[in-house]
């Protein structure tokens, strides 16, 4: 009973917070949709921007990791932590020094991810079918779509590197923004 009451209180507080700030969620949603559309219109620029952003993230996190590793050098796992931080710095420097090659590498990784995710989802769907679950066909379709996306990305290399990351980020931004817009409008009306 306590967990149920706690969840109800949390849900009530979340609804109140969303209702109180629905305009902020609406603004953020609109901004994300606009950025998503821009990324879809100019996917090469968006792909490059994502690669440069990731480069900076790796570089900054790697430098931070090096500082913390040397600060706590008496802790167990010092060498593993040092190697991990150094690899992050190296990855960041490579992505920033050669962002177009970084876009190609990231596209290959994304293609491989979609293959692995698609195969895993198809296998998961087949397991659900054995249990006579009514939703297994949706899982199967999702897995097959992942494999189709992977095929277009991998078969189109190196040209697909110019559009794949930007297009996927654009779609993600658009759908995330649309979700926030829907949430804001629903909160406004409650």
């Amino acid at each position: 009973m306590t967990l149920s009451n706690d969840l109800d209180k949390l849900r009530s507080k979340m609804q109140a917070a969303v209702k109180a700030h629905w305009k902020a969620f609406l603004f953020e949603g609109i901004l994300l949709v606009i950025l998503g559309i821009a990324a879809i219109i100019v996917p090469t620029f968006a792909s490059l921007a994502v690669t440069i952003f990731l480069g900076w993230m790796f570089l900054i996190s790697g430098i931070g990791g090096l500082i913390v590793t040397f600060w706590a050098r008496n802790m167990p796992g010092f060498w593993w932590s040092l190697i991990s931080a150094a690899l992050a710095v190296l990855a960041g420097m490579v992505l920033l020094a050669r962002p177009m090659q970084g876009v190609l590498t990231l596209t290959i990784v994304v293609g491989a991810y979609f293959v692995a995710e698609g195969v895993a989802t198809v296998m998961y769907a087949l397991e659900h079918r054995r249990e006579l679950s009514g939703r297994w066909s949706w899982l199967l379709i999702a897995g097959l779509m992942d494999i189709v996306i992977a095929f277009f990305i991998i078969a189109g290399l190196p040209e697909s590197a110019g559009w794949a990351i930007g297009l996927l980020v654009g779609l993600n931004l658009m759908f995330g923004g649309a979700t926030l817009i829907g949430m804001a409008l629903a909160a406004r009306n409650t």
Side-chain angles (χ1 to χ4, degrees):
M1 288 289 192
T2 304
L3 181 61
S4 177
N5 290 338
D6 290 344
L7 287 175
D8 288 340
K9 287 178 186 177
L10 180 62
R11 187 178 298 118
S12 177
K13 286 180 182 180
M14 292 278 292
Q15 288 172 344
V18 171
K19 183 171 180 146
H21 303 288
W22 72 269
K23 289 180 184 176
F25 287 108
L26 180 65
F27 175 76
E28 182 182 1
I30 292 169
L31 182 62
L32 288 177
V33 167
I34 291 169
L35 290 172
I37 291 170
I40 290 169
I41 292 172
V42 204
T44 303
F45 178 75
S47 296
L48 191 59
V50 167
T51 302
I52 291 170
F53 178 76
L54 285 174
W56 279 110
M57 293 300 288
F58 275 121
L59 184 63
I60 292 168
S61 70
I63 290 170
L66 287 174
I67 291 168
V68 169
T69 298
F70 280 108
W71 179 62
R73 61 185 161 272
N74 294 327
M75 296 294 288
F78 168 79
W79 290 105
W80 292 114
S81 183
L82 182 67
I83 290 168
S84 175
L87 286 173
V89 169
L90 180 64
M93 289 174 24
V94 168
L95 287 174
L96 292 171
R98 298 182 160 253
M100 289 311 293
Q101 288 81 359
V103 169
L104 178 62
T105 302
L106 289 174
T107 303
I108 292 168
V109 169
V110 166
Y113 169 78
F114 273 101
V115 167
E117 178 71 17
V119 169
T121 304
V122 166
M123 299 310 291
Y124 188 61
L126 295 175
E127 284 294 318
H128 272 276
R129 189 188 85 207
R130 288 187 197 139
E131 296 172 7
L132 301 175
S133 172
R135 293 183 275 284
W136 76 273
S137 60
W138 288 104
L139 286 170
L140 180 66
I141 292 168
L144 292 174
M145 287 306 298
D146 284 346
I147 293 169
V148 168
I149 291 168
F151 171 77
F152 283 120
I153 291 172
I154 294 169
L157 286 171
E159 290 81 18
S160 63
W163 58 262
I165 302 288
L167 179 65
L168 293 171
V169 167
L171 289 170
N172 183 277
L173 289 171
M174 272 186 41
F175 283 111
T179 301
L180 285 175
I181 290 169
M183 185 180 73
L185 295 177
R188 178 190 71 176
N189 295 330
T190 58

